[in-house]
Amino acid sequence: MELNGAEILVQSLKQENVDIVFGYPGGAVLNIYDAIYAQNYVNHILVRHEQAASHAADGYARTSGKPGVVLVTSGPGLTNAVTGIATAFMDSIPMVVFSGQVATQFIGNDAFQEVDSVGITRPCVKHNFLVKDVKDLAETIKRAFHIATTGRPGPVLIDLPKDVTVATTEFKYPQKVDIRSYNPTIKGHSGQIKRALKMIKQSKRPIVYSGGGAVIDNASKELREFVSKLNLPITQTLMGLGAFPASGEQFVGMLGMHGTYESNMAMHDSDLIIAIGARFDDRITGKLDKFAPYAKVVHIDIDPSSIAKNIPVDIPIVGSVTDVLTEFLGLMAKNDYSPNPTDLENWWNQINQWRAVDSLAYKKDDSIIKPQYVIEMLHKVTEGKAIVTSDVGQHQMWAAQYYHFDQPRQWINSGGLGTMGFGLPAAMGAKLASPESDVACITGEGSIQMMLQELSTMLQYQTPVKVVNLNNRYLGMVRQWQEFFFENRYSMSYMDALPDFVKLAESYGHVGMQIEKPADVEGALIEAFKMKDRTVFMDFLTDQKENVFPMIASGAAHNEMLLAGRDEMKSTHDDGMSLV
Amino acid sequence: MKATLTILLENEAGALSRVAGLFSARGYNIESLCVAPTEDPTMSRMTLVTSGGEQVIEQIVKQLNKLIDVVKLQELTDGLHVERELMLVKVITDESLRGELLRLAQIFRGNIVDVASDCYTIEITGSSDKLTAFLEALPQGSILEVARSGEVGLARGSRSLKL
Ligand SMILES: Cc1ncc(C[n+]2csc(CCOP(=O)(O)OP(=O)(O)O)c2C)c(N)n1
């Protein structure tokens, strides 16, 4: 069948089982929009800003495990989408982005709305393509989906010149892809796997440290079995929360800069770290030469370049986390690899002493709303079952610390890039991926204003989300650092002239609430979640000076962390000021 | 530590900029880079000379392998190999210098490939060190300009980068 490029694009999406596309039209993609108009398989969500298209597709992908799909026009359409593409790239989220491009004969001529989309996105995509001949289009789309979703997933961009969308060719969607230069290792090396288990058996103070890779690879079941069978303590990164349940006995909390006391102390003192789909980034390790000084390291990751990038590794295992853990479990069924019981008991006793420090304790208050309390109530009211997205700042850390995620894909946030503005569009994507779930967006008055316009999209497509705005009238995370490290010089971290969020929500056709008293928090949440089919914007006026604790100050070691109300907060090392 | 990498690359627009972009984005050094199509027109071969600690070189190799356009890669400095570079040097001559220049070119097995009344162009191949030694041996102030190709290399014996 002869089809034009635009029709081939839509038909290929159908072949890939894509039923939802987030996008925004413009000159270079008009033919594609015409092809979308002519069919009713692929639903198109018209966002209000292209950044929201890529964030919403990202939220959709993180929730469903399927690739998110984005369609934007050339020039400003693509540049607007870049923040969302980079966000997905940093967190290894599968995504396919189609951008319009000026017609091939104009490329390089500074034509109207021309940018070098392939050049601009190159450093923040897994791969990208410029399709110059309609005959290559179907094959390229097949490749793009394959690359985006396999190995370590990531965004792939296809740049489509306008003339290619008009030109016609015989359409046949390839059934197979073969990319000679791309062949991710899935199965782990069995010798290394055996060696790793032996090392676990010999360890005295082991700890499992798992990250986003365990969520992305759907390894939750295997991870739970592995950890509980051997009774190992487990900590998870910001990206990994939920793969192992927060309510699980072996969970010692999140680690890193704002991780719990017990997890960071256990990392510091451990003699064996079993890293699973995590990448030892600087928010986890802090200062490298002080990180886990006694530990040997087993590192399982599908991306060889993540292994031994920041810290030396004793047993590298390249492969899919699920595959490798399955092999672990197979061997464990035949042989006992448990560490010496007395050693393990001593280790657990030590960890329980650290737990008793209760590092997430905060001062309760009757007159002023504590942000931590709002999250705890949100957890209670939603019975811990909501899908929670967040923006970036203090509220993000509190969400991670106090919501206690029990399931993978329940916690959706921008960990790698730390993109303010992510939360609301991601919540919309999450709701579209999982219409039956309650979806909450935990945000701050700073972040929410970066993508506020999406309230309009959410009305149009009936994607009810509960917005939990922790309104401290500050760019709180910035203010916290200025308090600690810049002697309270609050340069540009206070926001005056905030909108009336209640009226604002109402003007977008949603429900608005403002909550000022701690006693009203739970009631407001209950009321909001009762309105199943409405988006409710809850503006909580919270304690302006609350800080995120515990905290490892820049330059400090994991056993030098600072606790709320117990330590004076100072960068403990001069070189901390130049580190992040 | 110097490392010489030989890379088979998809012969596609943009492949070279992916490699170059990777080096600049991650702050790696490129000392020289030499690329041209192979006997298989769908592939180019690149020889890239870089430097850094062992850990950095390991990361460079892994990051390059991650690029979809990189088909195969080998670290030549891992084993026995031959490396060659081509250089063209234009030198000023006069009656008094010609004899010495000819002798030097002969010692370094170079060829005079262009002659003008006031200058010679000498072509010379060999290891990068040899080319540098030749430049140092030339009479002071005689060099007009130099063009060096950057190294190309292959492993010794039958060890090869084949699909
Ligand atoms: C797009 C973007 N710009 C700037 C920053 C730097 N930044 C990190 S947290 C933060 C403050 C966020 O304030 P708010 O959303 O009100 O949340 P709070 O910290 O008060 O909870 C800023 C400005 C960022 N992460 N993203």
Side-chain angles (χ1 to χ4, degrees):
Chain A
M1 195 180 16
E2 285 263 320
L3 297 180
N4 70 26
E7 291 159 344
I8 289 175
L9 167 52
V10 173
Q11 286 305 317
S12 303
L13 291 179
K14 192 171 173 182
Q15 295 286 327
E16 291 290 340
N17 296 317
V18 173
D19 49 13
I20 193 159
V21 172
F22 300 87
Y24 207 94
V29 286
L30 281 176
N31 296 298
I32 301 173
Y33 274 87
D34 201 44
I36 287 176
Y37 189 81
Q39 55 84 52
N40 55 16
Y41 179 76
V42 178
N43 293 303
H44 180 278
I45 304 291
L46 175 66
V47 293
R48 302 301 187 254
H49 185 298
E50 289 90 348
Q51 183 183 338
S54 40
H55 286 327
D58 180 328
Y60 177 87
R62 292 186 205 228
T63 307
S64 64
K66 289 165 60 178
V69 179
V70 177
L71 171 59
V72 292
T73 193
S74 67
L78 179 274
T79 54
N80 270 351
V82 166
T83 300
I85 297 172
T87 302
F89 180 66
M90 286 295 276
D91 290 343
S92 310
I93 304 305
M95 180 185 286
V96 177
V97 181
F98 296 91
S99 53
Q101 183 54 279
V102 300
T104 41
Q105 74 266 29
F106 296 128
I107 289 181
N109 284 354
D110 302 322
F112 177 63
Q113 295 195 325
E114 178 187 2
V115 288
D116 174 8
S117 304
V118 165
I120 283 180
T121 57
R122 189 182 304 120
C124 62
V125 293
K126 187 169 170 185
H127 196 59
N128 57 20
F129 299 93
L130 168 65
V131 180
K132 284 188 162 167
D133 185 338
V134 70
K135 292 195 184 67
D136 300 332
L137 182 56
E139 168 91 28
T140 305
I141 295 173
K142 181 83 188 171
R143 285 174 170 232
F145 276 91
H146 178 66
I147 292 170
T149 53
T150 52
R152 178 178 181 174
V156 176
L157 175 118
I158 299 180
D159 203 27
L160 273 174
K162 191 166 183 179
D163 54 327
V164 175
T165 65
V166 179
T168 60
T169 189
E170 183 72 21
F171 174 66
K172 214 173 142 243
Y173 200 65
Q175 292 309 304
K176 279 200 330 227
V177 253
D178 179 28
I179 306 175
R180 61 181 172 183
S181 57
Y182 176 72
N183 214 343
T185 308
I186 304 300
K187 197 181 160 332
H189 187 282
S190 30
Q192 295 288 79
I193 289 175
K194 273 196 200 112
R195 229 168 291 152
L197 281 171
K198 279 189 195 137
M199 204 175 251
I200 292 172
K201 190 177 168 71
Q202 283 156 10
S203 67
K204 294 187 165 67
R205 299 183 307 280
I207 183 162
V208 174
Y209 145 58
S210 85
V215 175
I216 293 165
D217 203 34
N218 300 315
S220 184
K221 184 171 145 278
E222 292 76 11
L223 180 68
R224 287 167 194 223
E225 203 177 326
F226 168 69
V227 167
S228 41
K229 256 201 174 145
L230 294 176
N231 191 27
L232 304 177
I234 174 170
T235 178
Q236 293 179 131
T237 66
L238 180 71
M239 297 310 299
L241 296 177
F244 190 87
S247 58
E249 214 183 309
Q250 288 87 2
F251 187 54
V252 297
M254 182 170 81
L255 81 164
M257 181 172 278
H258 293 300
T260 62
Y261 185 69
E262 53 271 35
S263 68
N264 285 330
M265 289 300 285
M267 284 296 276
H268 183 272
D269 281 9
S270 78
D271 69 347
L272 177 64
I273 293 171
I274 303 130
I276 302 176
R279 59 188 176 90
F280 294 91
D281 90 275
D282 53 274
R283 283 295 187 269
I284 297 299
T285 61
K287 213 165 181 255
L288 282 171
D289 50 12
K290 294 180 180 173
F291 176 72
Y294 319 108
K296 289 217 155 80
V297 176
V298 171
H299 193 170
I300 307 166
D301 205 288
I302 195 149
D303 177 2
S305 73
S306 278
I307 297 179
K309 180 168 68 179
N310 299 330
I311 58 139
V313 168
D314 298 276
I315 303 191
I317 305 176
V318 177
S320 118
V321 167
T322 312
D323 262 59
V324 173
L325 285 176
T326 306
E327 274 204 56
F328 271 16
L329 292 170
L331 290 169
M332 281 159 56
K334 288 185 223 138
N335 263 307
D336 186 9
Y337 291 99
S338 314
N340 175 303
T342 323
D343 288 336
L344 197 57
E345 198 186 318
N346 289 339
W347 181 223
W348 270 117
N349 286 339
Q350 171 65 72
I351 288 172
N352 287 330
Q353 280 175 29
W354 289 325
R355 270 178 170 165
V357 167
D358 194 10
S359 62
L360 291 179
Y362 63 93
K363 250 212 227 102
K364 307 264 180 335
D365 200 299
D366 290 338
S367 55
I368 191 157
I369 298 177
K370 291 287 183 180
Q372 300 95 325
Y373 176 71
V374 179
I375 312 283
E376 286 181 334
M377 283 304 116
L378 176 68
H379 183 266
K380 184 175 168 200
V381 168
T382 56
E383 296 169 348
K385 290 189 181 130
I387 294 174
V388 176
T389 73
S390 90
D391 271 299
V392 172
Q394 292 182 312
H395 60 271
Q396 176 189 26
M397 293 300 118
W398 287 318
Q401 292 173 327
Y402 295 93
Y403 194 86
H404 305 300
F405 297 94
D406 274 344
Q407 296 300 331
R409 302 194 180 278
Q410 203 192 344
W411 165 234
I412 289 165
N413 82 125
S414 164
L417 200 65
T419 311
M420 290 170 69
F422 174 78
L424 193 65
M428 174 167 65
K431 185 72 188 176
L432 286 162
S434 182
E436 301 307 313
S437 307
D438 282 329
V439 177
C441 166
I442 297 175
T443 182
E445 79 293 343
S447 294
I448 193 72
Q449 291 189 79
M450 287 204 176
M451 281 284 120
L452 203 45
Q453 75 288 343
E454 295 312 311
L455 287 172
S456 170
T457 317
M458 289 160 70
L459 185 72
Q460 181 174 350
Y461 297 97
Q462 299 292 325
T463 57
V465 163
K466 307 298 179 269
V467 179
V468 177
N469 187 35
L470 299 179
N471 185 348
N472 53 8
R473 282 81 74 213
Y474 275 109
L475 299 174
M477 193 55 106
V478 174
R479 190 205 57 72
Q480 173 168 349
W481 284 50
Q482 289 171 336
E483 178 187 337
F484 292 167
F485 311 126
F486 295 88
E487 298 167 329
N488 305 316
R489 291 188 298 276
Y490 296 148
S491 176
M492 302 298 144
S493 55
Y494 183 73
M495 249 193 208
D496 213 342
L498 289 171
D500 178 335
F501 286 110
V502 174
K503 282 195 194 140
L504 189 101
E506 285 167 1
S507 81
Y508 274 111
H510 302 305
V511 180
M513 294 180 182
Q514 190 174 60
I515 304 98
E516 290 175 65
K517 292 198 215 70
D520 298 336
V521 170
E522 187 175 357
L525 286 164
I526 291 173
E527 198 187 324
F529 278 93
K530 269 195 192 137
M531 293 183 251
K532 286 273 171 221
D533 53 357
R534 299 297 297 274
T535 287
V536 183
F537 193 114
M538 286 165 274
D539 186 26
F540 292 93
L541 298 185
T542 58
D543 189 349
Q544 289 195 272
K545 293 289 174 73
E546 191 64 31
N547 289 321
V548 181
F549 281 110
M551 180 169 183
I552 302 178
S554 313
H558 281 47
N559 61 351
E560 300 173 318
M561 61 184 329
L562 303 159
L563 299 172
R566 286 170 260 191
D567 291 294
E568 198 201 339
M569 201 55 212
K570 276 257 163 13
S571 181
T572 45
H573 299 266
D574 289 345
D575 56 2
M577 297 298 283
S578 58
L579 299 169
V580 274
Chain B
M1 188 171 98
K2 177 189 148 183
T4 305
L5 309 174
T6 177
I7 305 164
L8 286 178
L9 208 58
E10 294 290 353
N11 191 5
E12 270 174 26
L16 177 60
S17 55
R18 288 181 210 279
V19 174
L22 171 69
F23 274 72
S24 66
R26 294 190 181 264
Y28 304 141
N29 299 320
I30 298 182
E31 289 186 3
S32 74
L33 189 155
C34 184
V35 57
T38 61
E39 78 284 4
D40 171 353
T42 68
M43 273 194 295
S44 302
R45 189 173 190 117
M46 173 186 283
T47 313
L48 193 151
V49 181
T50 179
S51 63
E54 201 178 321
Q55 202 206 341
V56 172
I57 303 294
E58 186 185 325
Q59 261 301 307
I60 291 175
V61 169
K62 286 174 171 176
Q63 293 291 349
L64 282 169
N65 267 318
K66 227 164 103 171
L67 294 177
I68 309 284
D69 284 340
V70 168
V71 182
K72 271 203 164 166
L73 181 159
Q74 192 178 43
E75 191 179 339
L76 285 179
T77 27
D78 258 359
L80 295 175
H81 63 283
V82 277
E83 284 176 11
R84 288 291 180 272
E85 185 173 357
L86 170 73
M87 173 168 77
L88 298 174
V89 204
K90 198 180 283 181
V91 277
I92 310 171
T93 56
D94 56 30
E95 280 302 329
S96 66
L97 274 176
R98 274 191 194 139
E100 185 183 350
L101 285 175
L102 280 174
R103 212 164 33 250
L104 269 177
Q106 230 164 28
I107 294 171
F108 282 85
R109 295 193 201 163
N111 299 312
I112 314 279
V113 291
D114 186 46
V115 177
S117 61
D118 54 352
C119 69
Y120 280 175
T121 299
I122 305 170
E123 170 207 304
I124 176 161
T125 57
S127 71
S128 299
D129 290 347
K130 173 180 152 187
L131 304 195
T132 306
F134 179 70
L135 290 177
E136 281 164 4
L138 286 171
Q140 263 209 326
S142 66
I143 300 175
L144 254 182
E145 59 180 340
V146 176
R148 295 176 70 151
S149 66
E151 273 174 21
V152 294
L154 288 177
R156 282 192 188 275
S158 55
R159 191 165 74 110
S160 66
L161 262 198
K162 269 262 169 208
L163 276 192

